């Protein structure tokens, strides 16, 4: 168990290369799009792609420099970028967050930000904190009622609302 | 002494009941934000910015709104010291140097002394910086009134070159991150030609990337991911501040007046330069260590070792607002968010602000004095309360912070697309942080991208496309030369070192 926990998911070198290549691709896209719009001088002044063209070019140049620097680092690049145990913790946060954002508004059945947030907090407390249900209900519903009062009533900032708000007449 | 009169007018604006209430609320919220993991000055202000949209519509409301937001910033600066000293977790990069002596002091049971020293010297640093702002900013603004597009572009250039020159790691990572910011700023409708740039037919991209979303994602979500990677526990020293400890520490502090003044000087100078707060705190720690009689004992729990970085960091954090107000060039990510706020409220930051919106500017400057006094009182009295927040289990605090980030991202434009974008920026921030790509230049480039591009375009129009306009007169030439000097500083300093023959082997990096 311990061993699989410490297993590295990619070395720093691999990730340095990945990110540098991603930068290069992005820079190339910027250059290409600027070329499409025109990156030179029109009769009325610089064209739309004039400034971004050089930005894209600089991204490409610096990504190549970063790639060379990463490859030249030698043994230091062999360090683990993230261990499996660390990645597991990161995923424990990221995956529910994605589900949470999807629940707020989707084509099938939108829960609204308040209901989705209450569920999100509850899931965290249950799964990571192992709290009892009454405590979970108290915290998650209490926090969301406070937010509701703050945003909808006090500051009058409308947020996506779900079925419960519709029941009590807030739209 | 026109400044004194203006300042008195400012106090009259800032000292209404409503504004004082906002100050207290802002500082308390700010300390809370500074203490919580994943929330810092920049994204805390970014999340709360949409709440002020309504407020700023009312007459005089913009002043109240900026008072609220700037007080959140002061609070966050104070709050950073609490986590550094009690938990050895620097809440902000510039509180790293505070942990060197602050945490050992706390372990020796002298947390109260360390906290009092930190808060008091933060206050002193901020006060000196505000006095500097009071007298210097009208001068800078008057001077900047003569600026045309080439001058402004050269100031932007100076800003960004300073980042490259002062970067700790490889300059190319700074350049890459910064240019990414510029490219993201270019996405969407080009206001000059009306053409769509980099949207590839996606309507969501029409209005471009909002830097507030980037700030919330990069600093908020990214920071939470980094924190949780280390596990879920916070272990901290106990904090009790009673009046006796405070008074005793205050008696001790005047001994360090030289260190305070030196650090405030370093802070004010470095704060005007972008990204200056973090190097300022390290630098003044180093300087204090060299000049102090107890220099060798630094790092084992010296009060002086807390005074130096805290004074400098707070002075730098405050003086970062000077270029923001007078030139429209923010010195730190948080100042950038405040600048974005001004623009959203319909105020154009820059020299004209001092003429057209004098009561706004002086109300803000007066609130800096008052806000810092309020901040000092609040943190001295409420430390145990704020420290106890860090004892709330992570399984509760983490989802609540994520929810706050999501709400903050949504309210910027009332768009769910932005919330998804925030998650993407969060993962990006996590990977960038792990690979030492700096985030501050990215955010600043995203904020200033459009202004910098406009200044560049107008300069190019003036000169019919030749770059010589950036050397056309003494002023713009000086800025450009300084910018290039800073840009190539890593090379120049290395060349100087080789010339002096200090490290016999040439080009031996590290």
């Amino acid at each position: 168990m311990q061993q699989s926990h410490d297993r590295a998911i990619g070395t720093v070198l691999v990730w340095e290369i990945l990110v540098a290549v991603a930068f290069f691709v992005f820079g190339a896209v910027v250059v290409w799009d600027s070329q499409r719009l025109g990156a030179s001088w029109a009769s009325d002044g610089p064209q739309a792609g004039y400034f971004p063209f050089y930005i894209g070019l600089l991204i490409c140049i610096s990504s190549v420099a970063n790639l060379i620097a990463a490859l030249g680092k030698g043994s230091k690049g062999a360090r683990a970028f993230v261990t499996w145990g660390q990645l597991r913790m990161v995923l424990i946060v990221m995956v529910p967050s994605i589900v949470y954002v999807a629940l707020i508004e989707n084509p099938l059945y939108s829960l609204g930000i308040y209901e989705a947030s209450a569920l999100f907090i509850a899931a965290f407390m249950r799964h990571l904190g192992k709290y009892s249900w009454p405590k979970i209900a108290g915290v998650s519903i209490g926090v969301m009622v406070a937010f509701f009062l703050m945003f909808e009533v006090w500051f009058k900032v409308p947020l996506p609302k779900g079925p419960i708000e519709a029941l009590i007449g807030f739209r | 002494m026109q400044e004194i009169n203006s300042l008195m007018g400012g106090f009259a604006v800032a000292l209404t009941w409503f504004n004082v209430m906002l100050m207290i609320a802002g500082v308390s919220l700010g300390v809370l934000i500074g203490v919580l993991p994943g929330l810092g000055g920049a994204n805390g202000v970014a999340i709360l910015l949409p709440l002020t949209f309504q407020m700023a519509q009312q007459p005089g409301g913009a002043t109240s709104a900026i008072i609220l937001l700037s007080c959140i910033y002061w609070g966050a600066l104070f709050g950073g010291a609490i986590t550094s000293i009690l938990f050895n977790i620097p809440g902000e990069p510039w509180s790293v140097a505070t942990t060197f002596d602050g945490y050992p002091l706390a372990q020796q049971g002298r947390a109260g002394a360390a906290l009092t020293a930190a808060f008091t010297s933060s206050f002193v640093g901020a006060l000196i910086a505000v006095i500097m702002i009071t007298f210097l900013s009208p001068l800078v603004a008057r001077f900047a009134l003569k600026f045309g597009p080439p001058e402004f572009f050269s100031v932007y250039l100076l800003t960004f070159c300073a980042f490259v020159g002062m970067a700790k790691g490889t300059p190319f990572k700074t350049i890459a991150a910064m240019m990414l910011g510029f490219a993201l700023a270019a996405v969407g409708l080009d206001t000059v030609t009306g053409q769509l740039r980099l949207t590839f037919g996606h309507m969501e991209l029409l209005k471009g990337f909002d830097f507030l979303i980037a700030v919330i994602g990069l600093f908020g979500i990214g920071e939470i991911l980094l924190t949780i990677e280390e596990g879920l526990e916070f272990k901290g020293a106990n904090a009790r501040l009673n009046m006796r400890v405070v008074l005793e520490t205050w008696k001790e502090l005047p001994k360090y007046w030289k260190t305070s003044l030196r650090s405030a000087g370093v802070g004010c100078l470095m704060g005007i330069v972008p990204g200056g707060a973090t190097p300022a705190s390290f630098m003044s720690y180093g300087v204090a260590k060299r000049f102090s009689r107890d220099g060798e004992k630094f790092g084992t729990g010296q009060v002086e070792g807390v005074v130096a970085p805290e004074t400098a960091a707070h002075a730098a954090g405050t003086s970062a607002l000077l270029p923001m107000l007078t030139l429209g060039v923010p010195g730190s990510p948080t100042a950038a968010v405040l600048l974005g706020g001004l623009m959203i409220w319909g105020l154009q930051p820059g020299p004209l602000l001092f003429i057209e919106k004098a009561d706004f500017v002086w109300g803000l400057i007066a609130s800096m004095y008052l806000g810092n006094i309020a901040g000092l009182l609040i943190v001295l009295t409420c430390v145990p309360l704020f420290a106890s927040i860090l004892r709330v289990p992570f399984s509760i605090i983490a989802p609540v912070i994520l929810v706050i980030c999501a709400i903050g991202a949504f309210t910027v434009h009332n768009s769910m697309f932005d919330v998804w974008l925030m998650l993407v920026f969060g993962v990006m921030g996590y990977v960038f942080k792990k690979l030492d790509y700096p985030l501050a230049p990215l955010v600043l480039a995203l904020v200033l991208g459009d202004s910098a591009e406009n200044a560049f375009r107008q300069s190019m129009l003036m000169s019919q496309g030749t770059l010589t306009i950036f050397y056309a007169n003494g002023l713009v030439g000086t800025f450009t030369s300084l910018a290039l000097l800073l840009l190539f500083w890593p090379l120049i300093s290395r060349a100087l070192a080789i010339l002096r023959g200090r490290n016999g082997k040439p080009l031996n990096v590290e």
Side-chain angles (χ1 to χ4, degrees):
Chain A
M1 185 64 210
Q2 194 55 43
Q3 221 166 6
S4 73
H5 223 67
D6 290 337
R7 212 181 67 217
I9 308 294
T11 60
V12 170
L13 177 65
V14 170
W15 277 86
E16 288 272 17
I17 292 171
L18 276 178
V19 172
V21 169
F23 261 107
F24 188 85
V25 171
F26 181 74
V29 169
V30 174
V31 169
W32 177 77
D33 191 68
S34 306
Q35 282 277 329
R36 182 181 63 83
L37 290 169
S40 57
W41 200 263
S43 57
D44 57 342
Q47 286 175 313
Y50 190 72
F51 191 69
F53 176 79
Y54 292 100
I55 299 293
L57 211 59
L58 276 172
I59 294 178
C60 290
I61 294 171
S62 53
S63 66
V64 171
N66 285 331
L67 190 65
I68 294 170
L71 290 173
K73 243 195 235 167
S75 60
K76 264 178 67 195
R79 221 172 60 235
F81 177 73
V82 59
T83 65
W84 174 236
Q86 287 174 329
L87 185 67
R88 209 180 67 98
M89 292 309 295
V90 170
L91 288 179
I92 282 178
V93 175
M94 259 335 267
V95 173
S97 301
I98 292 168
V99 175
Y100 160 61
V101 178
L103 278 178
I104 297 175
E105 209 175 276
N106 56 59
L108 292 174
Y109 187 77
S110 305
L111 273 181
I113 212 157
Y114 298 105
E115 284 90 329
S117 304
L119 282 181
F120 181 59
I121 296 172
F124 253 83
M125 288 178 72
R126 184 72 200 168
H127 189 75
L128 279 180
K130 311 268 183 277
Y131 286 93
S132 64
W133 286 111
K135 258 191 194 160
I136 293 175
V139 172
S140 60
I141 296 173
V143 168
M144 286 342 286
V145 167
F147 278 166
F148 184 79
L149 291 177
M150 184 170 155
F151 284 96
E152 305 287 337
V153 180
W154 190 21
F155 280 100
K156 304 227 180 302
V157 177
L159 296 178
K161 284 180 275 292
I164 300 178
E165 292 93 319
L167 272 182
I168 57 171
F170 268 92
R171 320 211 136 243
Chain B
M1 286 292 103
Q2 201 197 335
E3 286 84 8
I4 301 281
N5 281 332
S6 313
L7 186 63
M8 286 305 144
F11 274 115
V13 174
L15 268 176
T16 62
W17 273 113
F18 183 60
N19 285 345
V20 171
M21 226 180 62
L22 283 179
M23 261 176 234
I24 294 171
V27 170
S28 313
L29 259 175
V31 180
L32 193 67
I33 284 167
V35 169
L36 288 173
L39 290 177
N43 57 26
V45 176
I47 288 169
L48 290 163
L49 187 57
L51 292 184
T52 63
F53 291 170
Q54 281 254 314
M55 192 194 280
Q57 297 302 316
Q58 279 126 34
T63 316
S64 302
I66 190 78
I67 288 177
L68 177 66
L69 292 185
S70 61
C71 281
I72 292 171
Y73 183 28
W74 314 138
L77 283 169
F78 277 115
I82 299 179
T83 51
S84 312
I85 291 171
L86 295 181
F87 296 88
N88 206 15
I89 306 167
E92 310 275 350
W94 54 76
S95 358
V96 173
T98 312
T99 61
F100 297 162
D101 274 279
Y103 189 61
L105 272 171
Q107 281 177 316
Q108 294 157 22
R110 295 187 64 206
L115 285 171
T116 312
F119 296 150
T120 314
S121 39
S122 298
F123 173 73
V124 172
L127 192 67
I128 294 175
V130 180
I131 293 173
M132 185 199 69
I133 289 179
T134 309
F135 291 99
L136 207 57
S137 56
L139 290 180
V140 177
R142 220 169 294 149
F143 180 62
L145 274 177
K146 297 196 202 84
F147 282 17
E151 281 83 3
F152 270 113
F153 183 77
S154 62
V155 170
Y156 290 135
L157 191 69
L158 183 62
T159 309
F160 287 107
C161 290
F163 265 116
V164 178
M166 304 208 313
K168 260 192 299 164
T170 150
F172 287 107
K173 281 191 173 170
T174 311
I175 295 177
M178 189 187 294
M179 291 305 145
L180 179 63
F182 274 118
L184 291 181
V187 173
L189 192 70
D190 174 29
T191 45
V192 180
T193 60
Q195 281 174 300
L196 292 179
R197 298 195 292 199
L198 290 164
T199 55
F200 305 104
H202 292 284
M203 287 311 280
E204 291 93 343
L205 294 178
L206 196 69
K207 53 184 163 48
F209 290 96
D210 197 299
F211 75 100
L212 292 171
I213 309 297
V215 167
I216 296 170
L218 291 171
F219 292 96
I221 310 289
E223 204 60 48
I224 288 182
L225 294 180
L226 280 174
T227 314
I228 200 157
E229 192 183 68
E230 305 299 323
L232 301 173
E233 290 299 314
F234 295 118
K235 291 188 201 74
N238 266 317
R240 271 207 324 275
L241 263 188
N242 52 37
M243 232 24 230
R244 207 172 46 81
V245 176
V246 173
L247 288 177
E248 263 171 27
T249 315
W250 277 355
K251 251 184 247 160
E252 194 187 341
L253 284 180
K255 266 201 318 206
Y256 309 127
W257 65 276
K258 265 192 204 157
T259 308
S260 287
L261 277 184
R262 225 170 9 228
S263 307
V266 171
C268 287
L269 272 179
M270 302 286 287
I272 298 174
V273 184
T278 311
S281 64
F282 280 104
M283 206 186 211
S284 72
Y285 184 85
V287 169
K289 189 173 174 173
R290 189 174 306 163
F291 281 96
S292 167
R293 256 181 294 143
D294 306 319
E296 292 98 65
K297 282 192 245 157
F298 267 48
T300 59
Q302 290 290 308
V303 172
E304 201 176 354
V306 176
V307 171
E310 275 296 307
T311 314
H314 229 113
T318 308
S319 55
L321 293 190
L322 174 75
M324 182 208 81
L325 274 176
T326 53
L327 303 174
V329 181
S332 70
T334 314
V337 177
L338 289 175
L339 179 98
L342 293 189
M343 293 198 220
I344 294 170
W345 302 330
L347 298 168
Q348 188 56 51
L352 277 175
L353 201 63
F354 276 76
I355 297 167
E356 287 170 355
K357 299 275 175 192
D359 53 336
F360 171 82
V361 171
W362 289 104
L364 169 62
I365 293 177
S367 84
M368 292 183 189
Y369 287 95
L370 300 170
N372 273 298
I373 295 172
L376 182 65
L377 293 177
I378 288 172
V379 286
L380 279 179
T381 46
C382 302
V383 162
L385 191 71
F386 289 120
S388 68
I389 285 158
L390 270 181
R391 296 199 176 79
V392 175
F394 199 84
S395 53
I396 298 178
I397 214 94
V400 172
I401 291 171
L402 285 165
V403 166
I404 292 174
C405 288
I407 293 178
F410 178 83
T411 47
V412 175
H413 291 297
N414 289 330
S415 129
M416 274 313 284
F417 178 71
D418 284 345
V419 184
W420 286 109
L421 214 55
M422 169 197 81
L423 287 182
V424 175
F425 273 118
V427 175
M428 203 165 106
Y430 170 74
V431 175
F432 278 17
K433 257 284 182 50
K434 292 208 85 164
L435 293 178
D436 291 327
Y437 280 90
L439 298 180
L442 198 168
V443 171
L444 246 58
L446 195 49
V447 177
L448 293 178
D450 282 340
S451 324
E453 185 180 350
N454 280 338
F456 184 70
R457 272 183 175 172
Q458 283 163 9
S459 315
M460 286 294 103
L461 275 176
M462 286 165 72
S463 73
Q464 285 305 308
T466 58
L467 289 169
T468 47
I469 190 158
F470 298 118
Y471 270 101
N473 60 47
L475 188 61
V476 71
T478 313
F479 286 141
T480 313
S481 312
L482 268 177
L484 293 178
L485 186 73
L486 274 170
L487 180 63
F488 293 109
W489 183 246
L491 286 177
I492 295 169
S493 65
R494 202 181 287 169
L496 283 178
I498 294 169
L499 277 181
R500 268 196 232 118
R502 249 203 335 223
N503 50 351
K505 298 160 284 181
L507 276 181
N508 192 355
V509 194
E510 279 169 307

